[in-house]
């Protein structure tokens, strides 16, 4: 990566206003959904001011039927069939997580999803990685597991703009070591 030259910076600044440039809030990795059900599969969306850089080709039926929705639900649930969910609500929470990732651009603020298990190596990471991989075509980015205290407190406020924030086996019931997160956890 190269730094721009002083000459280039002065030329850009001397231009003044850039009326032909549109506002850009963020770049989405999934198709952009609107409340009316319409979908922007790629490119710039003026309504949301998002740019969709989706690499997955999607085909949508303009008039889906209930049977189509039920088939899609069963197909999603098959991806979670290998997980040993402790109770029925656990499967529902996982499905909610899956759909939240897919609808992230529509939702703005999103609910927190937490996956817990009585022991390590029980599949929690896979339960997160499978939906993320199916939707985005890649593994989620990982933050350093060495974030603690003040460094964690500095980063936590920015997580609201992230597609996914995952803490894997970080606490096992204990405090996270971050005043910000521990305060949120104790409010439960």
């Amino acid at each position: 990566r190269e730094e721009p030259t002083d000459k280039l910076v002065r030329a850009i600044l001397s231009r003044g206003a850039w009326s032909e440039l549109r506002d850009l809030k963020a770049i989405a990795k999934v198709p952009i959904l609107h409340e009316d059900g319409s979908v922007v599969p790629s490119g710039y969306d003026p309504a949301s001011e998002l740019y969709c850089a989706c690499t997955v080709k999607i085909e949508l039926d303009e008039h889906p039927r209930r049977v189509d929705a039920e088939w899609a639900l069963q197909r999603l649930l098959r991806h979670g069939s290998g997980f040993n969910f402790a109770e029925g609500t656990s499967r529902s929470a996982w499905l909610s997580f899956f759909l939240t990732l897919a609808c992230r651009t529509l939702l703005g603020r999103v609910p927190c999803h937490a996956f817990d298990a009585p022991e390590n190596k029980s599949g929690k990471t896979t339960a997160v990685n499978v939906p993320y991989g199916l939707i985005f075509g890649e593994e989620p980015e990982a933050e350093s597991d060495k974030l603690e205290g003040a460094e964690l407190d500095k980063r936590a406020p920015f997580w609201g703009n992230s597609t996914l924030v995952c803490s894997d086996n970080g606490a096992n019931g204990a405090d996270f070591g971050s005043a910000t997160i521990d305060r949120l956890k104790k409010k439960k």
Side-chain angles (χ1 to χ4, degrees):
R1 193 175 134 203
E2 303 245 350
E3 293 294 322
T5 64
D6 288 344
K7 182 179 178 182
L8 176 61
V9 171
R10 281 193 299 277
I12 291 171
L13 291 174
S14 70
R15 173 83 194 265
W18 293 79
S19 60
E20 62 275 4
L21 289 180
R22 298 173 280 193
D23 289 337
L24 180 64
K25 287 184 180 174
I27 296 174
K29 293 181 179 181
V30 295
I32 300 164
L33 305 177
H34 291 280
E35 288 183 26
D36 66 1
S38 62
V39 177
V40 177
S42 64
Y44 183 74
D45 176 36
S48 65
E49 297 180 342
L50 297 173
Y51 180 83
C52 180
C54 183
T55 58
V56 177
K57 176 87 170 131
I58 62 166
E59 294 179 24
L60 298 172
D61 187 338
E62 288 198 31
H63 304 287
R65 300 164 299 162
R66 181 178 180 91
V67 68
D68 298 323
E70 290 170 353
W71 175 84
L73 172 62
Q74 292 309 310
R75 189 167 176 199
L76 290 176
L77 289 174
R78 271 198 311 264
H79 290 292
S81 64
F83 304 121
N84 186 16
F85 294 111
E87 51 197 50
T89 56
S90 299
R91 183 180 310 283
S92 297
W94 179 79
L95 182 60
S96 167
F97 169 70
F98 204 133
L99 296 173
T100 297
L101 285 175
C103 300
R104 179 71 169 94
T105 57
L106 173 65
L107 299 174
R109 293 178 188 254
V110 296
C112 175
H113 290 85
F115 298 93
D116 194 12
E119 59 191 36
N120 292 345
K121 307 258 186 244
S122 59
K124 295 182 303 295
T125 302
T126 304
V128 170
N129 288 348
V130 166
Y132 192 95
L134 288 167
I135 292 168
F136 298 108
E138 63 188 23
E139 286 190 20
E141 288 182 36
E143 281 260 7
S144 168
D145 59 357
K146 305 291 186 237
L147 289 180
E148 294 179 354
E151 189 61 30
L152 188 55
D153 286 338
K154 283 192 283 187
R155 299 243 181 114
F158 298 102
W159 289 345
N161 295 324
S162 299
T163 302
L164 173 66
V165 176
C166 181
S167 173
D168 188 11
N169 297 329
N172 288 330
D175 285 348
F176 277 85
S178 159
T180 304
I181 294 175
D182 288 339
R183 275 193 308 276
L184 293 171
K185 190 175 131 192
K186 288 177 181 159
K187 286 183 180 180
K188 291 198 296 182

